[in-house]
Amino acid sequence: MSDPVHGADASGLRERLPQKPDVPQKADSIGTAQEAVRALNDGEAAATKDEKDKKTFGRTLDGAVFTVPHTEDMVSQLFDPTQPKNASDIAIVTVLVYLCLLLYFLPQSWKVPVFAVIFLFWRMCYNAGIGWLLHNQSHHKRLVIWAKKSHIFDNPKTGTNPYPFLYKLLKQEMEAKIPKDYSFEDAPIEYNTWLLFRRVVDLI
């Protein structure tokens, strides 16, 4: 038998989220949040919209329901001229250009050993480093705990963020990449942590 209070709250969440898609809405309980997310995603799946216009909804562990902004794949972000670019994109493209120049200018006898070492280093970073981070996040939520302890996503106006320059940089970087349905200040810390992790993955 459904809980009428939770049902009303879930209905309210479904009404409020489309009004302010970049602002998470807190549910009364985890169950209510699950119900709201399920209903919202089912509604979007059944809607007669273009795929690019359909929204995806998610929830945090504490029951906040939010719109998951659309993000492009790494190749499109880097090389599609219609996609907005930021400093991390420029850094990644610079590294790629540097590697191409290195391949061109290295003596023929050096090319294979040098690029073998480079490949093995970055493959180890990807398999071991990212694997370790994912394991700790999945089992212990370590990345989110680190983000909370470091306060890097806290607005400097609160006085709790010891890195105001980093906050400003991250805000510019992330909002430049996601111009729709996203606000750096209002997004759940879990989502902002994932975005930061994804940029590290893109670089590696």
Side-chain angles (χ1 to χ4, degrees), residues 67-72 77 83-84 86 171-184 191-192 194-195 198:
T67 305
V68 180
H70 174 74
T71 54
E72 298 291 340
Q77 286 183 340
Q83 294 296 321
N86 57 16
K171 176 178 165 62
Q172 291 174 340
E173 288 284 294
M174 294 181 182
E175 290 188 343
K177 301 301 293 183
I178 313 175
K180 185 178 178 182
D181 294 343
Y182 175 73
S183 166
F184 181 77
Y191 187 72
N192 281 339
W194 176 80
L195 286 177
R198 178 175 169 177

Side-chain angles (χ1 to χ4, degrees), residues 19-189:
Q19 302 300 320
K20 294 183 177 180
D22 55 348
V23 179
Q25 304 290 334
K26 190 70 184 296
D28 289 342
S29 69
I30 301 297
T32 302
Q34 289 175 330
E35 179 188 341
V37 168
R38 189 182 308 112
L40 285 162
N41 285 327
D42 288 346
E44 288 294 310
T48 55
K49 302 178 183 177
D50 291 339
E51 284 299 318
K52 63 182 180 63
D53 294 326
K54 291 185 177 181
K55 300 181 185 298
T56 301
F57 297 88
R59 68 174 180 85
T60 62
L61 291 175
D62 64 355
V65 180
F66 67 103
T67 305
V68 180
H70 174 74
T71 54
E72 298 291 340
D73 62 272
M74 185 190 73
V75 175
S76 297
Q77 286 183 340
L78 291 178
F79 301 115
D80 185 344
T82 65
Q83 294 296 321
K85 302 294 184 286
N86 57 16
S88 58
D89 292 327
I90 295 171
I92 293 170
V93 171
T94 300
V95 171
L96 293 175
V97 171
Y98 168 77
L99 290 173
C100 291
L101 291 174
L102 187 63
L103 178 65
Y104 180 80
F105 286 108
L106 273 177
Q108 187 65 36
S109 60
W110 283 72
K111 290 181 179 180
V112 172
V114 167
F115 274 87
V117 170
I118 292 173
F119 170 81
L120 290 173
F121 171 77
W122 287 110
R123 175 50 60 179
M124 184 176 65
C125 289
Y126 189 87
N127 288 356
I130 293 178
W132 181 80
L133 290 174
L134 284 174
H135 174 81
N136 279 280
Q137 173 61 19
S138 297
H139 292 83
H140 310 293
K141 302 294 182 285
R142 290 281 172 79
L143 294 181
V144 174
I145 291 171
W146 165 80
K148 289 179 178 178
K149 286 184 175 180
S150 65
H151 300 286
I152 62 168
F153 297 124
D154 292 359
N155 193 316
K157 293 178 181 178
T158 63
T160 59
N161 189 336
Y163 315 104
F165 173 78
L166 181 58
Y167 175 91
K168 183 179 180 180
L169 176 65
L170 291 174
K171 176 178 165 62
Q172 291 174 340
E173 288 284 294
M174 294 181 182
E175 290 188 343
K177 301 301 293 183
I178 313 175
K180 185 178 178 182
D181 294 343
Y182 175 73
S183 166
F184 181 77
E185 293 97 337
D186 297 321
I189 191 170

